[in-house]
Amino acid sequence: MTTKAELTSQYILEIVAPIFNKNGYAATSLSDVTKATGLTKGAIYGNFKNKEDLAIASFVFTVKNMLKRIGEHLLNSDSPIEKLYLITDFYRNYYDYSKELGGCPVLNIGVDANNQNSLLLQKVRQVIERIQDQVTTIVEEGIEAGEISAEINALYFARRLDTMIQGAIFMTYTMDDDFYIQDTMDLIDRMIDNELKI
Amino acid sequence: MTTKAELTSQYILEIVAPIFNKNGYAATSLSDVTKATGLTKGAIYGNFKNKEDLAIASFVFTVKNMLKRIGEHLLNSDSPIEKLYLITDFYRNYYDYSKELGGCPVLNIGVDANNQNSLLLQKVRQVIERIQDQVTTIVEEGIEAGEISAEINALYFARRLDTMIQGAIFMTYTMDDDFYIQDTMDLIDRMIDNELKI
DNA sequence: CCATAAATATACCGATTGGTATATTAAATA
DNA sequence: TATTTAATATACCAATCGGTATATTTATGG
């Protein structure tokens, strides 16, 4: 059964996670939190140990949303190579989608936590490694299935994919121009065509 | 002649710019500033209008350092195509170098200022556009000189270069792993070899 | 060397910070 | 419905925030 506190915790995260994601840790105050939720400090501190705990829970909350969404999108095909195309396809809509979350959590919190909050930074690294692991697995399955050239280093490709996508997200957000994401996805698609596909 | 205040302003920026770059605007307090410089608020506010003014001056200071350094590196060749290789060559040492500045100012302040400080964000955009303009010009000169294929869209290439480099910087800093920068520079070099070079 | 101006230090302001102890209210159980 | 417990609100804390007015020191030009 779900207690009232669990519902409240969930409600707080829904409201607060985009704020932390947008503003960063230091720029988000507890009065921002209470104002946005309409709750008092009593309710916040009853459900979260402290500000840091709330920030970490917020990051995890946002990432879960994101990973769930991309996971669902990848169900649209069983073919590994098609799954790679589905990844770029997913990110073609990422600017609009991620705006609802307050931006890309990996980029925002990754930069924000660097040199600031080692616990948060640790969480970001875990997420990045997890994403790269999943892409690596897809490529390896593609090689086994004979869809992808066996000469491809799956992990290296996963890292490159991730690096290019993060760069595109940063540029699109900073310049407020979706061109960067669209063009980068075109480029990645061509890389898959020319270098991976058998 | 250089007044004492000008020397002090310069001194403050040297000390404070890396702090703002590392921590971001909100996470840098005036007591951080006075503590690091050994000066008092009187000296700080005598030389800078307010915290925002100091943050902007800090960003400009860091970027000037960076652009000067890369500009000097590009003097090592007159050939446009060689200048492109010199860009990747410069970024191969970027992790160590930029650490002294407190990180990549474009990445850090770009993310930090998004949804926070529109004046700072404006400055970041100007820097990005300026860098892209310079790369665009190099490519166009390469085309004119017959070193680079005329089919290349110079601006698009400049944007791609920038996007990939920023992604690599983000990944290298977040994962504390220079692999991402080195691998991305390899990739860009290959792109120049295969797609630009005649 | 003195008068003036420039530069920096000091002391203070109200507002806000994250956090807590306690009072109050809402929910669950018997 | 009475009692207990869970959940939230209130009121407060010392510390720190960015900023300013004024006092003091340092540099400069006559």
Side-chain angles (χ1 to χ4, degrees):
Chain A
M1 110 173 202
T2 47
T3 67
K4 193 173 183 217
E6 282 172 327
L7 285 172
T8 306
S9 293
Q10 196 69 9
Y11 166 76
I12 292 172
L13 289 179
E14 278 168 19
I15 305 287
V16 167
I19 300 177
F20 269 110
N21 195 10
K22 253 189 270 185
N23 302 349
Y25 182 76
T28 303
S29 69
L30 266 132
S31 71
D32 290 334
V33 169
T34 55
K35 210 172 290 172
T37 55
L39 295 169
T40 59
K41 285 195 193 181
I44 306 298
Y45 277 87
N47 289 285
F48 298 93
K49 205 175 84 197
N50 50 31
K51 188 186 171 186
E52 188 188 23
D53 187 39
L54 178 57
I56 291 173
S58 293
F59 173 73
V60 170
F61 178 86
T62 305
V63 163
K64 268 196 185 143
N65 183 327
M66 208 193 73
L67 292 182
K68 189 185 162 212
R69 187 97 155 218
I70 192 167
E72 285 167 358
H73 196 68
L74 293 190
L75 293 178
N76 285 321
S77 175
D78 289 330
S79 148
I81 191 97
E82 286 302 322
K83 275 184 191 289
L84 293 182
Y85 288 121
L86 281 173
I87 290 175
T88 59
D89 188 57
F90 173 82
Y91 279 102
R92 285 183 191 276
N93 301 308
Y94 190 74
Y95 194 30
D96 278 339
Y97 161 61
S98 64
K99 274 180 183 167
E100 297 166 20
L101 310 177
C104 174
V106 170
L107 175 66
N108 292 351
I109 309 300
V111 171
D112 189 62
N114 210 303
N115 292 300
Q116 295 282 121
N117 189 309
S118 56
L119 255 165
L120 261 175
L121 181 60
Q122 213 179 306
K123 285 278 172 193
V124 175
R125 287 182 182 167
Q126 285 172 7
V127 171
I128 290 176
E129 272 166 8
R130 187 172 152 191
I131 292 174
Q132 290 182 358
D133 272 357
Q134 288 179 354
V135 174
T136 302
T137 301
I138 293 175
V139 174
E140 285 171 344
E141 287 171 353
I143 294 173
E144 283 179 36
E147 291 180 358
I148 293 174
S149 161
E151 287 170 31
I152 292 294
N153 184 318
L155 177 59
Y156 280 24
F157 175 79
R159 286 183 179 167
R160 260 184 204 170
L161 191 82
D162 204 11
T163 302
M164 292 174 71
I165 289 173
Q166 291 299 337
I169 293 169
F170 166 74
M171 292 298 298
T172 281
Y173 264 95
T174 302
M175 303 305 282
D176 187 27
D177 187 348
D178 202 33
F179 166 87
Y180 293 94
I181 286 182
Q182 300 308 325
D183 185 64
T184 299
M185 295 313 132
D186 289 346
L187 180 58
I188 294 174
D189 279 346
R190 277 208 286 124
M191 279 175 52
I192 299 173
D193 289 340
N194 299 333
E195 298 175 34
L196 267 69
K197 222 175 187 175
I198 284 181
Chain B
M1 108 173 203
T2 47
T3 66
K4 191 166 184 229
E6 283 171 328
L7 285 173
T8 307
S9 293
Q10 197 69 7
Y11 166 76
I12 292 171
L13 289 179
E14 278 169 19
I15 305 286
V16 167
I19 300 177
F20 269 110
N21 194 11
K22 256 189 270 186
N23 302 347
Y25 182 77
T28 303
S29 69
L30 266 132
S31 71
D32 290 335
V33 170
T34 55
K35 210 173 290 175
T37 56
L39 295 169
T40 60
K41 284 195 192 180
I44 306 297
Y45 276 88
N47 289 284
F48 298 93
K49 204 176 84 198
N50 50 31
K51 188 187 171 186
E52 188 187 23
D53 186 41
L54 179 58
I56 291 174
S58 293
F59 174 72
V60 171
F61 177 87
T62 305
V63 163
K64 267 194 185 143
N65 183 327
M66 208 194 73
L67 292 182
K68 189 184 163 215
R69 187 97 154 219
I70 192 168
E72 286 167 357
H73 197 67
L74 293 190
L75 293 178
N76 284 322
S77 175
D78 289 330
S79 148
I81 191 98
E82 285 303 321
K83 275 185 191 291
L84 294 181
Y85 288 120
L86 282 172
I87 291 175
T88 59
D89 188 58
F90 173 82
Y91 279 102
R92 285 183 191 276
N93 301 309
Y94 189 75
Y95 194 32
D96 278 339
Y97 161 60
S98 63
K99 274 180 183 168
E100 297 166 21
L101 310 177
C104 174
V106 170
L107 175 66
N108 291 350
I109 309 301
V111 171
D112 189 63
N114 211 301
N115 292 298
Q116 294 283 120
N117 189 309
S118 57
L119 255 166
L120 262 175
L121 181 60
Q122 211 179 305
K123 285 278 172 195
V124 175
R125 286 182 181 167
Q126 285 173 6
V127 171
I128 290 177
E129 271 166 7
R130 187 171 153 191
I131 292 174
Q132 290 183 0
D133 273 358
Q134 288 179 354
V135 175
T136 302
T137 301
I138 293 174
V139 173
E140 284 170 347
E141 287 170 353
I143 294 173
E144 283 178 36
E147 291 180 356
I148 293 174
S149 161
E151 287 170 32
I152 292 297
N153 184 316
L155 177 59
Y156 280 24
F157 175 79
R159 286 182 180 168
R160 261 185 202 168
L161 191 81
D162 204 11
T163 302
M164 291 174 72
I165 289 174
Q166 291 298 337
I169 294 169
F170 166 74
M171 291 299 298
T172 281
Y173 264 96
T174 302
M175 303 305 282
D176 187 25
D177 186 348
D178 202 33
F179 165 87
Y180 293 94
I181 285 182
Q182 300 308 324
D183 185 64
T184 299
M185 296 313 133
D186 290 347
L187 180 58
I188 294 174
D189 280 345
R190 277 208 287 125
M191 279 176 52
I192 300 173
D193 290 339
N194 299 333
E195 298 175 32
L196 269 70
K197 221 176 187 174
I198 285 181

